[in-house]
């Protein structure tokens, strides 16, 4: 948080002196609001907005004001459209750039049809305008090939939708009504820092807050107990807990009878689980599992809060479903202080997504984001001839970076809309330089809270940059359907906010600060006990074979596991950056050079490696140099690195993650199913 005067260019001429508000555009559940003070036409203060109902002015380490503001004029900024000529890029005008994109698109449409164009999109600045208008453009084009699945959370989202019919979370404040809390595979200290305050408050009140994670993260500071679990045994732990809860009669018969389907099958599976085998698999004592199960079964209400990590396995979706089942058997669903919460996608229902016109597309084709190279190479009738990348850096973010890069380089024509020369931009044939937060209008909603905020354009677009919105508007105009995307960004944001206009939410109202999305939105997920599954009831997972599959998954699922790659590879979030966003010298320094790899002392001892030693971390995909860091906080069976970094600088862990591993549920990259080894360099 910067309180000193910032050396910034003047704000836009229509921005009056005084207080303004904007919203963080990071892909983060909290969507913090900033308060800006403009004086004499310049920003003189940029800090957290203390009036935000949830984040209360506290920003995290990912957003020192200087990052956003100094980035505005930084040397690393892409300034003009760049067109590849051989191995080099040359500057061209926007007029030429738009002409080239349109000619290429027309060529693809004429020769191969719209599905030969892949729109390769991510969350990027995570705004609503970005998520609606770009997709509308491709719908109007006739429907390009689109991405499906995810590299973050689709295993958990789809799994919870199978159980509940929909994915909803309790408001983060509702945790304060819990009598017992399990924080499972979640590290809010790094990924959703405002949630930590709630955990601390519970701890002060004497509520048991238990952390279950293979890594003893900073989150432990706000918890009362920590259990180190063997990676990818969370589903087994849930089943062992279920068995104990069922056998001790701590189930909620009324809830099971009236609101669930499949309990009989589920309980048969749970009763067959051998608790001592599960304890051994999880690396926990039976008494520890008993202690957690007893409290979860007996204390009402109890809540479970799931992170992204425990779904990053091939069986990650099933893991979520077994944990959801704990909530259902104990009747902790639909009650304040209860629930099995992951993230809120409910907020998105209040946005007019139909404006993307995807419902009108007849011919569709999906390319899995986690299996990008394979799906692009396999795509036939038509093949992928052109890729437009926006709000995503797939070379650094998707597994097996080297192969993603190769496939992009082999594709006939790749357009990358970016603000910096990212690993992906380096593979482009044409780069279109874009604006970022403070330089473009966006509307942001949180997926961890129920607030919506505006991220208005306050600074002039630097150099020759244009927003995604402006780029797609101009392309639409040149391709003959400009009137379908006509209008300014304020009008479009108001159209997107149509469903909440009745609550007094609009572009202008959000200029005054963030608002709760809907005063009637339930703070308690499924409070009405209406589940949108086909049966209208909570639907238990009941595939008995998943238990033996999970036993196999825990160490031997991947063929490479018994073939010289004994460790699970965990690539976790850092507190100071998000994914590959805003890669900087500071991030490089924090990552280490070569990047740090964290191992438990017993692992280091077994491998004969020492603190600071340069080693190779190897997987089936390849190897990368890393610097050994030894700490008791890491699991002996895992090798841990931070995600982010850069492929060009050889600091990106995705150089060795395995793109053949996709979750059974939700088509998600199963990053943590990658198996690795560590080799000494001497
Ligand atoms: S990254 Fe998240 S926690 Fe940090 S300032 Fe942005 S919204 Fe807030």
């Amino acid at each position: 948080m910067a309180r000193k005067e910032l050396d910034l260019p003047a704000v836009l001429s229509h921005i009056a002196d005084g207080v303004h508000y904007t919203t963080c555009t990071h892909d983060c559940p909290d969507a913090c609001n900033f308060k800006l003070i403009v004086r004499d036409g310049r920003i003189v203060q940029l800090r957290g907005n203390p009036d935000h109902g949830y984040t209360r002015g506290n920003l995290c380490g990912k957003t020192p004001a200087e990052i956003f503001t100094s980035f505005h004029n930084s040397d690393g900024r892409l300034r003009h459209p760049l067109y590849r000529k051989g191995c080099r890029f040359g500057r061209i005008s926007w007029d030429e750039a738009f002409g080239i994109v349109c000619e290429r698109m027309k060529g693809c449409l004429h020769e191969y049809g719209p599905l030969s164009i892949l729109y390769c999109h991510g969350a990027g600045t995570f705004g609503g305008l970005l998520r609606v208008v770009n997709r509308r453009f491709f719908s109007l084009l006739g429907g390009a090939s689109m991405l499906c699945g995810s590299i973050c959370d689709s295993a958990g989202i789809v799994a919870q939708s199978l159980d509940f019919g929909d994915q909803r979370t309790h408001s983060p404040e509702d945790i304060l009504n819990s009598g017992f809390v399990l924080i499972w595979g979640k590290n809010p200290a790094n990924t959703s820092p405002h949630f930590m305050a709630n955990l601390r408050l519970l701890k002060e009140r004497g509520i048991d807050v238990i952390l279950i994670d293979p890594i003893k993260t900073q989150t432990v500071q706000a918890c009362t107990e920590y259990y180190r679990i063997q990676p990818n045994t969370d589903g087994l732990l849930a089943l062992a807990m279920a068995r104990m809860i069922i056998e001790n009669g701590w189930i909620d018969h009324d809830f099971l009878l009236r609101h669930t389907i499949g309990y009989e099958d589920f309980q048969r599976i749970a009763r067959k689980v051998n608790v001592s085998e599960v304890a051994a698999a999880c690396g926990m004592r039976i008494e520890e599992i008993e202690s957690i199960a007893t409290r979860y079964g007996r204390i009402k209400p109890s809540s479970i809060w799931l992170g992204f990590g425990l779904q990053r396995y091939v069986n990650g979706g099933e893991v979520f479903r077994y944990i959801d089942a704990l909530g259902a058997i104990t009747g902790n669903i639909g009650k304040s202080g209860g629930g099995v919460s992951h993230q809120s996608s409910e907020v998105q229902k209040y946005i007019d997504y139909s404006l993307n016109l995807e419902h009108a597309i007849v011919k569709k084709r999906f390319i899995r984001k986690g299996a990008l190279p394979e799906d692009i190479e396999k795509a036939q009738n038509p093949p992928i001839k052109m890729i437009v990348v926006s709000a995503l850096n797939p070379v650094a973010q998707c597994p097996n970076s080297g192969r993603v890069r190769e496939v992009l380089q082999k594709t006939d024509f790749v357009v990358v809309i970016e603000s910096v020369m990212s690993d992906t931009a380096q593979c482009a044939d044409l780069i279109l330089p874009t604006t970022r937060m403070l330089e473009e209008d966006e509307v942001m909603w949180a997926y961890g809270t129920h607030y919506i905020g505006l991220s208005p354009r306050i600074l002039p677009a630097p150099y020759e940059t244009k927003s995604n919105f402006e780029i797609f508007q101009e392309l639409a105009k040149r391709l003959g359907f400009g009137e379908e995307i006509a209008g300014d960004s304020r009008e479009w944001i108001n159209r997107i906010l149509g469903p909440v206009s009745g609550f007094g939410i609009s572009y202008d109202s959000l200029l005054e600060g963030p608002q709760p999305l809907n005063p009637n939105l339930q703070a308690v997920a499924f409070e009405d006990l209406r589940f949108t599954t086909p049966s209208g009831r909570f639907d238990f997972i009941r595939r008995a074979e998943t238990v033996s599959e999970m036993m196999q998954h825990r160490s031997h699922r991947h063929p490479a596991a018994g073939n010289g790659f004994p460790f699970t590879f965990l690539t976790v979030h850092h507190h100071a950056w998000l994914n590959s966003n805003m890669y900087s010298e500071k991030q490089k320094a924090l990552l280490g050079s070569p990047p740090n790899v964290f191992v438990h002392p017993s692992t280091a001892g077994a491998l004969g490696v020492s603190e600071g030693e340069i080693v190779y971390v190897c997987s089936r995909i390849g190897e990368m140099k890393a610097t050994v860091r030894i700490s008791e906080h890491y699991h002996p069976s895992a090798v841990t690195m931070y995600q982010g970094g850069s492929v060009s600088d050889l600091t990106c862990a995705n150089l060795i993650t395995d793109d053949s591993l996709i979750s059974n549920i939700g088509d998600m990259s199963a990053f943590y199913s990658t198996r690795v080894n560590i080799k000494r360099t001497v």
Side-chain angles (χ1 to χ4, degrees):
M1 194 186 317
R3 290 162 195 256
K4 58 179 195 242
E5 297 258 326
L6 296 164
D7 181 22
L8 279 171
V11 298
L12 287 164
S13 58
H14 69 268
I15 304 292
D17 280 5
V19 176
H20 299 267
Y21 298 96
T22 191
T23 308
C24 178
T25 56
H26 273 329
D27 175 358
C28 166
D30 293 8
C32 291
N33 200 253
F34 291 71
K35 190 171 181 177
L36 288 98
I37 296 182
V38 173
R39 195 185 303 141
D40 300 329
R42 307 181 83 83
I43 298 174
V44 294
Q45 195 174 83
L46 180 60
R47 54 195 292 193
N49 174 4
D51 300 324
H52 188 289
Y54 177 59
T55 61
R56 303 195 188 284
N58 299 309
L59 305 175
C60 76
K62 302 177 187 89
T63 54
E66 291 87 346
I67 284 194
F68 291 115
T69 51
S70 62
F71 187 71
H72 182 69
N73 287 331
S74 101
D75 289 344
R77 211 51 205 265
L78 288 168
R79 302 172 177 211
H80 331 280
L82 294 170
Y83 189 44
R84 182 181 291 282
K85 292 178 184 125
C87 305
R88 315 186 80 134
F89 285 107
R91 178 178 175 177
I92 60 171
S93 69
W94 272 104
D95 186 51
E96 289 171 293
F98 283 132
I100 292 167
V101 177
C102 290
E103 280 318 301
R104 285 282 177 170
M105 282 184 172
K106 281 184 198 162
C108 286
L109 293 175
H110 177 71
E111 215 170 322
Y112 301 98
L115 298 186
S116 64
I117 302 170
L118 170 65
Y119 178 39
C120 191
H121 56 90
T125 49
F126 223 71
L129 199 59
L130 180 77
R131 281 186 270 183
V132 167
V133 174
N134 301 9
R135 296 175 83 106
R136 182 179 176 92
F137 170 87
F138 285 102
S139 298
L140 292 162
L141 201 63
S145 294
M146 302 300 260
L147 297 183
C148 68
S150 94
I151 48 177
C152 307
D153 53 12
S154 57
I157 291 174
V158 176
Q160 292 211 302
S161 302
L162 290 169
D163 291 337
F164 298 100
D166 195 359
Q167 207 223 10
R168 296 183 207 165
T169 190
H170 287 232
S171 76
E173 295 91 344
D174 187 61
I175 195 175
L176 298 174
N177 299 317
S178 299
F180 178 70
V181 174
L182 288 174
I183 305 296
W184 205 326
K186 183 178 176 78
N187 182 16
N190 283 14
T191 58
S192 130
H194 302 92
F195 195 63
M196 290 289 280
N198 291 339
L199 302 186
R200 285 195 197 97
L201 206 55
L202 284 166
K203 191 175 171 181
E204 278 166 30
R205 290 181 188 166
I207 302 292
D208 289 345
V209 181
I210 289 185
L211 176 65
I212 302 171
D213 199 305
I215 302 171
K216 192 173 184 183
T217 62
Q218 291 295 309
T219 296
V220 78
Q221 290 172 2
C223 298
T224 55
E225 290 163 53
Y226 165 64
Y227 293 93
R228 188 172 72 182
I229 188 170
Q230 169 89 15
N232 199 19
T233 58
D234 309 87
L236 293 170
L237 174 60
L239 272 169
M241 287 172 62
R243 175 174 180 164
M244 291 172 176
I245 289 166
I246 291 165
E247 289 183 346
N248 283 290
W250 298 323
I251 55 174
D252 185 330
H253 291 281
D254 185 58
F255 181 85
L256 289 171
L257 194 66
R258 289 155 56 110
H259 302 295
T260 70
I261 184 170
Y263 172 67
E264 283 307 315
D265 290 335
F266 172 76
Q267 63 95 19
R268 266 196 290 278
I269 296 168
R271 282 178 191 275
K272 279 192 193 148
V273 166
N274 181 318
V275 174
S276 57
E277 276 181 24
V278 167
C282 296
M284 294 170 71
R285 288 185 288 119
I286 293 178
E287 307 85 74
E288 291 176 330
I289 299 177
E290 265 168 5
S291 166
I292 301 170
T294 304
R295 283 175 284 173
Y296 186 73
R298 299 185 73 171
I299 299 172
K300 297 282 170 21
S302 289
S303 64
I304 299 177
W305 296 78
L306 300 173
F308 282 17
L310 72 177
Q311 64 188 289
R312 290 193 182 126
Y313 298 95
V314 170
N315 64 346
E318 286 92 335
V319 169
F320 263 55
R321 297 199 67 189
Y322 283 115
I323 298 176
D324 287 347
L326 288 174
I329 61 172
T330 54
N332 270 306
I333 304 300
K335 296 197 173 75
S336 178
V340 183
S341 294
H342 172 216
Q343 60 156 299
S344 177
S345 46
E346 194 179 17
V347 171
Q348 302 187 18
K349 288 185 207 137
Y350 293 87
I351 304 300
D352 191 353
Y353 267 119
S354 69
L355 290 166
N356 68 23
L357 299 179
E358 283 177 5
H359 55 276
I361 299 171
V362 181
K363 238 176 151 186
K364 296 186 180 180
R365 180 167 69 184
F366 293 102
I367 300 289
R368 292 170 299 168
K369 199 184 260 184
L372 207 57
E374 182 184 339
D375 283 9
I376 290 175
E377 281 175 344
K378 276 191 182 160
Q380 293 302 327
N381 299 321
I384 300 292
K385 303 301 277 183
M386 178 176 186
I387 301 177
V388 179
V389 184
S390 166
L392 184 70
N393 181 8
V395 173
Q397 290 178 265
C398 292
N400 196 351
S401 294
R403 193 166 169 220
V404 177
R405 184 163 55 184
E406 258 173 52
V407 165
L408 290 180
Q409 286 167 343
K410 273 198 271 174
T411 302
D412 282 7
F413 200 74
V414 176
V415 181
V416 176
I417 303 172
E418 248 302 358
S419 56
V420 291
M421 187 56 91
S422 67
D423 290 315
T424 302
Q426 289 171 38
C427 302
D429 296 289
L430 176 66
I431 302 173
L432 304 179
T434 190
T435 47
R436 296 185 71 137
M437 180 180 164
L438 297 175
E439 302 158 359
E440 61 189 16
D441 272 339
E442 256 305 357
V443 59
M444 314 295 304
W445 52 88
Y447 54 91
T449 77
H450 293 163
Y451 282 86
I452 189 157
L454 193 71
S455 185
R457 187 172 174 219
I458 287 172
L459 297 174
Y463 311 110
E464 291 183 16
T465 58
K466 289 184 189 293
S467 68
N468 267 264
F469 177 70
E470 290 167 320
I471 291 169
F472 283 100
Q473 262 193 336
E474 180 61 27
L475 287 173
K477 210 189 292 177
R478 290 179 182 229
L479 288 165
F481 49 88
E483 71 286 356
E484 295 285 349
I485 310 187
D488 65 21
S489 48
R490 176 186 296 236
E491 284 168 44
W492 274 93
I493 286 175
N494 278 331
R495 286 181 74 180
I496 291 165
L497 292 174
V500 288
S501 59
F503 304 127
I505 298 176
S506 67
Y507 183 101
D508 286 342
S509 76
L510 293 174
L511 279 173
E512 305 299 316
Q515 290 175 256
L517 190 68
N518 170 357
N520 305 320
L521 197 65
Q522 292 173 358
V524 177
F526 305 105
E527 193 167 20
D528 53 9
L529 296 175
R530 287 200 187 133
F531 303 102
T532 46
T533 52
S535 62
R537 291 161 173 249
F538 177 92
D539 199 339
F540 279 98
I541 181 170
R542 47 205 125 132
R543 279 184 64 236
E545 59 272 29
T546 54
V547 180
S548 53
E549 282 169 14
M550 281 194 297
M551 290 301 279
Q552 289 167 14
H553 274 307
R554 75 190 161 91
S555 58
H556 304 299
R557 168 66 173 79
H558 194 280
N563 194 19
F565 299 107
F567 301 107
T568 299
F569 190 40
L570 303 178
T571 47
V572 299
H573 279 107
H574 199 277
H575 70 271
W577 64 84
L578 248 169
N579 308 323
S580 68
N581 209 358
M582 293 183 168
Y583 181 66
S584 63
E585 285 305 313
K586 185 181 164 202
Q587 185 185 140
K588 202 168 159 184
L590 287 168
L591 272 167
S593 179
N596 295 322
V597 60
F598 301 91
V599 293
H600 189 267
S602 64
T603 312
L607 293 166
V609 297
S610 49
E611 174 73 17
E613 183 175 339
I614 309 297
V615 293
Y616 288 112
V617 184
C618 327
S619 74
R620 187 185 76 80
I621 299 302
E623 60 185 30
M624 65 187 289
K625 275 190 175 171
T627 310
V628 172
R629 300 291 170 208
I630 302 172
S631 164
E632 298 251 341
H633 291 169
Y634 295 89
H635 199 284
S637 72
V639 159
T640 303
M641 292 181 79
Y642 283 113
Q643 58 164 271
S646 147
V647 173
S648 324
D649 284 353
L650 304 178
T651 55
C652 179
N654 281 326
L655 282 159
I656 58 167
T657 50
D658 193 334
D659 57 329
S660 71
L661 301 165
I662 298 289
S663 64
N664 298 327
I665 295 176
D667 281 333
M668 191 178 117
S669 294
F671 286 105
Y672 293 1
S673 289
T674 296
R675 308 287 307 185
V676 295
N677 202 356
I678 286 183
K679 276 194 322 203
R680 303 193 70 186
T681 51
V682 285

